[in-house]
Amino acid sequence: MAPGGLSGYRPMLFVAMENFVELIYFLTALLFILGLKRMSSPNTARSGVIWAGIAMVAATLVTFFLPNLHNQGLMIVAIVIGTVVAWIAAKRVQMTDMPQMVAIYNGMGGGAAGAIAAVELLRGEFAEALGLKLLAILGALIGSVSFTGSLIAFAKLQGLMSSRPIQFPAQKLVNAAVGVGAILLAIWVLFSQSGLPILAFFLLALGFGVLMTLPIGGGDMPVVISLYNAFTGLAVGFEGFAIGNAALIVAGTVVGAAGTLLTLLMAKAMNRSLWSVLVGGFGVEQEAGEVKGSLKPIDLEDAAVMLAYASKVIFVPGYGMAVAQAQHKLREVADVLEAKGIEVKYAIHPVAGRMPGHMNVLLAEAGVAYDKLYDLEDINPEFPQADVAVVIGANDVVNPAAHRKGSPLYGMPILDVDKAKNAIVIKRGQGKGFAGVENELFFADNTRMLYGDAQSVLGQLVQSLKKL
Amino acid sequence: MDSTWAALYIFLLAAFTGYEVISRVPVILHTPLMSGSNFIHGIVVVGAMVVLGHAETPLEQAIGFFGVILGAANAAGGYAVTERMLEMFERKPKGGQ
């Protein structure tokens, strides 16, 4: 073939290929949006994630056909490594550990957005286009914070480090200095071409993610994970602008907006402003509330009798149930009670556990029909008619102190377990909740404490109930 | 209208779409939905592939390679986690009895 023979032909092939790839990206964006929409209703949720999954595979495959790309071998190796490791880890992890898995995969997305920006900045791709360069740098900043911040959130939830707020002297000053430093370096990177400020910028941005997450306690983690999820989405969207990829722009922006809304909904459900989550440890400056009464323990047999002769029982699960993996035993208890003709309902606080909906997922795993799960607004009027409310490892979300001004919990909507005729609290020990506040419910006259690991306590309850 | 403005309009509409899609969601789906949106920004793997495809120096290649690993892990792990959560909702409506 003559060298010049293809000169008219090749560009046309390139254009056709590019259009084909763009078409697939377009369909990907469409399927992502439709998939998310389907995920927002229980009956269609599963098909939604499958649609989005098909789109993801298609978009990844067609990217290999983009003209003028090299390093395809490296791409395949990297995709195989990332996919296999993440897939196996995600399939093997316990359902209770799902929140930290969301955190770590989200962080990786942020890291990938940072890596995109790093390569583009090192290559000096934006010589003429300051606007695009600014977006690339912003995406890098947000993505890097999401990367290291999510890793810290993962470490805290996984128990690799203490889940309590970690504080040190002049912390806010140090954090502010690192944050401002990262922004100043971002400006330097924007107006220079050298590598040194790029390196320093990334180091400070990554460091800021760590510093920002350290002082946040485990109780606030759901909000923070959701916030970083929105961050990663936004970072992906910005990098999409920087490299001119519409699929990244649309998917990233949709997730950024959806994630921001989800974060605000969650913060509202906890009656915490996003600001107070980010700048202050929970309950650090608590007031010592006077709690009257005493903790009154109850033994298993008495608890079983109390339940067996009730006509209406409401279960209130919390993080303790998740830790003890007690959702299956809880369902067994509920089954035995229902066989006796007792009305059973589950009260789900919006932030019970580590994420909104955490309890729903675990109870769904145990096979509890979701029409038995009631949101806070729907179940609260029913507590006064309940003969027994059983609290399984929940604490702050049932603390009546939230009704009293001056309490660190003040204003947080709670489940009105204190209004039930009787309450049984299943709890490992006498510790306080994440907020570090004594729970007045536990000291109330009609509350009985049933100490022990939730799974074994509920298992023994099933046996005792069957004998009655 | 040049492409920068077109891109800004895309941004505006996409942001609105994300807001609308999620604004009427029952609380029970918040966690799966967070997980699902976490999966969807795994599309970043495509962007990482594009920059790895353009990378020339060993440093650029290394960063791009790392980016593709992270992006692929985001997508694959995000999918697997979401799928596992939603799997439990599917066999549900009658499963409780």
Side-chain angles (χ1 to χ4, degrees):
Chain A
M1 252 181 273
L6 287 172
S7 60
Y9 171 71
R10 283 179 61 87
M12 236 165 71
L13 180 69
F14 279 14
V15 170
M17 290 265 268
E18 256 170 8
N19 276 321
F20 171 67
V21 173
E22 289 296 333
L23 173 69
I24 298 296
Y25 285 168
F26 180 82
L27 293 175
T28 299
L30 181 70
L31 279 174
F32 278 170
I33 292 170
L34 291 177
L36 255 189
K37 181 75 195 157
R38 292 182 77 81
M39 273 186 244
S40 59
S41 162
N43 295 324
T44 54
R46 190 155 180 222
S47 66
V49 71
I50 293 172
W51 288 20
I54 292 168
M56 185 75 74
V57 172
T60 308
L61 288 180
V62 297
T63 302
F64 283 103
F65 294 100
L66 270 180
N68 299 324
L69 288 194
H70 314 284
N71 303 324
Q72 272 90 350
L74 283 177
M75 283 181 208
I76 293 173
V77 174
I79 289 174
V80 169
I81 294 174
T83 304
V84 169
V85 172
W87 188 268
I88 291 174
K91 286 289 179 191
R92 292 179 60 172
V93 74
Q94 294 279 358
M95 279 312 294
T96 37
D97 294 338
M98 285 293 159
Q100 51 265 47
M101 297 311 280
V102 173
I104 196 161
Y105 294 135
N106 171 56
M108 288 177 171
I116 292 174
V119 173
E120 296 293 277
L121 290 170
L122 284 172
R123 289 174 54 77
E125 291 281 353
F126 310 108
E128 298 297 311
L130 271 192
L132 287 185
K133 192 172 183 183
L134 177 64
L135 285 175
I137 294 169
L138 276 178
L141 180 62
I142 300 167
S144 301
V145 168
S146 173
F147 181 44
T148 50
S150 297
L151 291 182
I152 297 292
F154 170 82
K156 285 192 173 206
L157 291 181
Q158 188 70 21
L160 300 177
M161 59 193 287
S162 163
S163 69
R164 302 212 62 91
I166 294 169
Q167 284 160 327
F168 53 83
Q171 188 168 27
K172 281 175 188 162
L173 205 65
V174 172
N175 290 7
V178 173
V180 170
I183 291 169
L184 290 178
L185 280 163
I187 296 170
W188 187 3
V189 172
L190 183 60
F191 294 108
S192 90
Q193 293 294 342
S194 68
L196 191 66
I198 297 177
L199 177 68
F201 160 71
F202 272 103
L203 286 179
L204 251 62
L206 292 168
F208 186 67
V210 174
L211 290 170
M212 184 173 152
T213 320
L214 282 178
I216 300 172
D220 281 335
M221 264 324 146
V223 180
V224 175
I225 294 174
S226 178
L227 179 72
Y228 289 150
N229 188 39
F231 272 19
T232 302
L234 209 55
V236 170
F238 284 168
E239 297 312 324
F241 280 110
I243 63 171
N245 186 307
L248 263 69
I249 296 175
V250 173
T253 310
V254 167
V255 172
T260 304
L261 180 61
L262 204 51
T263 310
L264 294 174
L265 287 175
M266 290 164 66
K268 197 175 148 204
M270 299 170 75
N271 197 44
R272 304 267 287 145
S273 72
L274 202 49
W275 181 250
S276 62
V277 168
L278 295 179
V279 299
F282 204 149
V284 175
E285 64 269 62
Q286 61 175 296
E287 122 284 21
E290 272 301 304
V291 183
K292 293 193 197 75
S294 59
L295 294 167
K296 294 166 284 293
I298 188 172
D299 62 34
L300 267 162
E301 273 63 36
D302 291 342
V305 169
M306 203 185 216
L307 286 171
Y309 293 99
S311 57
K312 177 168 182 171
V313 173
I314 300 178
F315 290 111
V316 183
Y319 187 62
M321 181 192 81
V323 171
Q325 298 278 346
Q327 60 270 27
H328 298 277
K329 291 290 174 204
L330 176 58
R331 192 207 158 187
E332 284 181 38
V333 172
D335 285 347
V336 176
L337 293 178
E338 284 181 327
K340 291 178 189 290
I342 299 166
E343 184 187 3
V344 173
K345 291 184 175 177
Y346 298 81
I348 310 295
H349 190 278
V351 294
R354 285 292 181 279
M355 280 185 163
H358 193 187
M359 294 299 121
N360 305 74
V361 171
L362 295 177
L363 291 171
E365 186 201 13
V368 175
Y370 62 74
D371 55 11
K372 288 189 189 143
L373 310 184
Y374 290 83
D375 289 347
L376 184 127
E377 301 85 47
D378 298 325
I379 197 76
N380 265 348
E382 299 200 27
F383 276 107
Q385 289 101 52
D387 300 296
V388 189
V390 185
V391 178
I392 306 110
N395 196 336
D396 294 334
V397 298
V398 295
N399 192 343
H403 292 313
R404 207 186 54 241
K405 273 193 178 152
S407 164
L409 292 170
Y410 176 67
M412 179 167 119
I414 60 155
L415 292 164
D416 294 328
V417 174
D418 54 321
K419 304 241 166 55
K421 291 172 195 158
N422 295 285
I424 297 174
V425 176
I426 300 174
K427 208 168 172 302
R428 264 188 306 190
Q430 304 191 351
K432 296 170 186 171
F434 270 117
V437 186
E438 260 334 329
N439 195 331
E440 295 167 16
L441 170 72
F442 300 168
F443 296 87
D445 289 338
N446 53 352
T447 300
R448 296 292 177 272
M449 307 300 290
L450 187 49
Y451 291 114
D453 171 78
Q455 180 166 289
S456 72
V457 166
L458 289 169
Q460 293 164 46
L461 257 184
V462 174
Q463 300 311 320
S464 307
L465 278 167
K466 280 181 177 162
K467 284 182 216 143
L468 286 171
Chain B
M1 188 170 74
D2 68 19
S3 64
T4 308
W5 281 106
L8 278 175
Y9 280 99
I10 296 176
F11 185 79
L12 178 76
L13 292 171
F16 185 74
T17 305
Y19 189 89
E20 274 302 301
V21 161
I22 228 149
S23 58
R24 280 179 296 275
V25 171
V27 176
I28 68 162
L29 281 175
H30 276 179
T31 294
L33 207 57
M34 188 196 317
S35 179
S37 57
N38 174 39
F39 160 60
I40 282 174
H41 65 50
I43 190 70
V44 70
V45 67
V46 165
M49 287 168 72
V50 171
V51 296
L52 174 57
H54 291 147
E56 281 162 3
T57 68
L59 178 63
E60 291 164 13
Q61 286 182 337
I63 298 173
F65 184 73
F66 184 58
V68 175
I69 290 181
L70 291 179
N74 180 182
Y79 183 86
V81 168
T82 311
E83 235 272 328
R84 277 188 64 185
M85 286 182 189
L86 292 178
E87 200 177 20
M88 297 174 310
F89 283 91
E90 180 131 286
R91 59 172 155 77
K92 199 47 140 358
K94 286 174 222 96
Q97 291 301 316

